[in-house]
Amino acid sequence: MSGVTLAVAQREEPDKTTTTATLPGQKTQQKQDQQQQNQTVVGGVMGSLRVIELQLVAFIMVFSASGLVPLLDLVFPAFASAYLLILSRLAFPSHGGVSSSGSTEIIQGSKFFRLYVVVGTTVGLFLPLAYVLGGFARGDDNAVRSATPHLFLLSFQILTENIISGLSLFSPPVRALVPLLYTVRRVFVILDWVNDVWFNKTLPANAQFKDIAWFWFGRSLAVANLVYFSVNLFGFLIPRFLPRAFERYFKERDEIRGKFAEDKLSAATSKPPQQEADKKSD
């Protein structure tokens, strides 16, 4: 959502419980067991991602068919996907490998950052979804129409992040541009949401307590989303996430070029002895 799929890496910590020396055969067996455990974990994670992707596709289809998403927001994912594909081919082609650290993630998140992501997921996804469903139940068309474009774009963003995070076709700069592009667009969408609930919606004169609570819940949720994603855009994605992606990309490029130069030099230095031997034989 805020780049979490592309930003948070799973840290591998050594097993501190095993301190005694092991025989080579035992080490091989332990390595095989660890590989099987890693495959099981990866399979479980991928299965969870598939479930999430199916749910997001369902949300996207419902939002698209509801007629509550403006045409510009419906077209934006197609434009963003085409633009990212062009960048991946022409501007920032993938090197087809990983960095020397062996990780495919851009940034390793700390505990504070993970908490920040959880808060963003709650504020940006779960509560707006509850707000839209509550709007349907209450017959509040204004609430549904105001929050639906944000949920539509956010669902597309998460789906795109989940898909391209496991593909070597996309380089780190291209992957980092996914949350950046979608967040920029959603900030404008959230501004429209704030305008709707703060300036175009009023309480009736005979409003009850639950109506007042619902009214201020919608206002507070719109402002909370605007604050969170503005901070996420100007405080994380632009100053930290995007530069780190470019730094990693050019580091990988320099590593590949350096290795290619070393191979070329070693091939060049190995030719003269062979040529001298051929001359002596003549």
Side-chain angles (χ1 to χ4, degrees), residues 125-146:
L125 181 62
F126 295 144
L127 290 181
L129 183 59
Y131 183 66
V132 170
L133 295 177
F136 275 118
R138 296 174 58 89
D140 190 348
D141 295 336
N142 182 271
V144 176
R145 189 173 298 275
S146 299

Side-chain angles (χ1 to χ4, degrees), residues 26-27 42 48 77 106 112 115 135 139 156 161 166 195 200 218 248:
Q26 294 176 341
K27 291 182 179 180
V42 171
S48 300
I106 297 176
F112 175 77
L115 177 62
F156 245 113
E161 287 183 5
N195 181 68
N200 297 333
R248 173 168 181 159

Side-chain angles (χ1 to χ4, degrees), residues 7-9 11 107-117 240:
V8 181
R11 297 182 178 180
I107 293 180
Q108 289 187 345
S110 61
K111 291 182 178 180
F112 175 77
F113 179 75
R114 294 176 188 274
L115 177 62
Y116 166 77
V117 171
R240 290 196 57 195

Side-chain angles (χ1 to χ4, degrees), residues 36-140:
Q36 292 178 355
Q37 293 176 358
N38 291 338
Q39 292 176 356
T40 302
V41 172
V42 171
V45 172
M46 291 305 295
S48 300
L49 287 179
R50 294 295 177 267
V51 173
I52 293 174
E53 289 171 7
L54 290 175
Q55 293 175 346
L56 292 175
V57 170
F59 288 153
I60 291 169
M61 293 178 63
V62 171
F63 294 148
S64 301
S66 64
L68 299 173
V69 181
L71 180 61
L72 178 60
D73 295 326
L74 287 174
V75 175
F76 181 82
F79 164 77
S81 300
Y83 181 63
L84 292 172
L85 286 174
I86 293 173
L87 288 179
S88 67
R89 291 290 185 179
L90 302 179
F92 305 106
S94 176
H95 298 133
V98 296
S99 64
S100 57
S101 63
S103 174
T104 59
E105 307 298 336
I106 297 176
I107 293 180
Q108 289 187 345
S110 61
K111 291 182 178 180
F112 175 77
F113 179 75
R114 294 176 188 274
L115 177 62
Y116 166 77
V117 171
V118 170
V119 172
T121 305
T122 303
V123 173
L125 181 62
F126 295 144
L127 290 181
L129 183 59
Y131 183 66
V132 170
L133 295 177
F136 275 118
R138 296 174 58 89
D140 190 348

Side-chain angles (χ1 to χ4, degrees), residues 18-275:
T18 305
T19 56
T20 58
T22 56
L23 297 176
Q26 294 176 341
K27 291 182 179 180
T28 304
Q29 182 64 31
Q30 290 177 357
K31 186 176 181 180
Q32 293 176 354
D33 295 339
Q34 185 177 4
Q35 291 177 351
Q36 292 178 355
Q37 293 176 358
N38 291 338
Q39 292 176 356
T40 302
V41 172
V42 171
V45 172
M46 291 305 295
S48 300
L49 287 179
R50 294 295 177 267
V51 173
I52 293 174
E53 289 171 7
L54 290 175
Q55 293 175 346
L56 292 175
V57 170
F59 288 153
I60 291 169
M61 293 178 63
V62 171
F63 294 148
S64 301
S66 64
L68 299 173
V69 181
L71 180 61
L72 178 60
D73 295 326
L74 287 174
V75 175
F76 181 82
F79 164 77
S81 300
Y83 181 63
L84 292 172
L85 286 174
I86 293 173
L87 288 179
S88 67
R89 291 290 185 179
L90 302 179
F92 305 106
S94 176
H95 298 133
V98 296
S99 64
S100 57
S101 63
S103 174
T104 59
E105 307 298 336
I106 297 176
I107 293 180
Q108 289 187 345
S110 61
K111 291 182 178 180
F112 175 77
F113 179 75
R114 294 176 188 274
L115 177 62
Y116 166 77
V117 171
V118 170
V119 172
T121 305
T122 303
V123 173
L125 181 62
F126 295 144
L127 290 181
L129 183 59
Y131 183 66
V132 170
L133 295 177
F136 275 118
R138 296 174 58 89
D140 190 348
D141 295 336
N142 182 271
V144 176
R145 189 173 298 275
S146 299
T148 297
H150 160 71
L151 281 174
F152 173 79
L153 291 173
L154 184 60
S155 299
F156 245 113
Q157 176 187 336
I158 299 175
L159 180 63
T160 306
E161 287 183 5
N162 286 339
I163 291 175
I164 74 169
S165 62
L167 298 178
S168 59
L169 173 65
F170 298 96
S171 60
V174 177
R175 286 184 282 144
L177 284 173
V178 174
L180 184 64
L181 290 176
Y182 276 94
T183 302
V184 169
R185 176 56 194 160
R186 281 191 298 103
V187 165
F188 289 99
V189 171
I190 296 172
L191 284 172
D192 294 335
W193 181 9
V194 172
N195 181 68
D196 288 340
V197 296
W198 278 87
F199 302 104
N200 297 333
K201 186 178 180 180
T202 57
L203 274 172
N206 57 348
Q208 300 179 359
F209 175 77
K210 60 181 181 180
D211 298 325
I212 298 175
W214 174 258
F215 177 78
W216 283 103
F217 171 68
R219 284 189 165 188
S220 302
L221 185 60
V223 172
N225 274 273
L226 179 61
V227 171
Y228 178 87
F229 287 107
S230 297
V231 172
N232 182 57
L233 176 63
F234 297 107
F236 171 68
L237 292 177
I238 294 178
R240 290 196 57 195
F241 192 55
L242 191 61
R244 190 70 61 88
F246 279 101
E247 178 183 356
R248 173 168 181 159
Y249 177 77
F250 290 116
K251 181 180 179 181
E252 291 177 358
R253 188 191 65 177
D254 293 340
E255 289 177 356
I256 293 175
R257 288 183 176 179
K259 185 177 180 181
F260 178 78
E262 290 178 0
D263 294 340
K264 187 176 180 180
L265 180 61
S266 60
T269 55
S270 62
K271 287 182 179 179
Q274 184 66 27
Q275 293 176 354

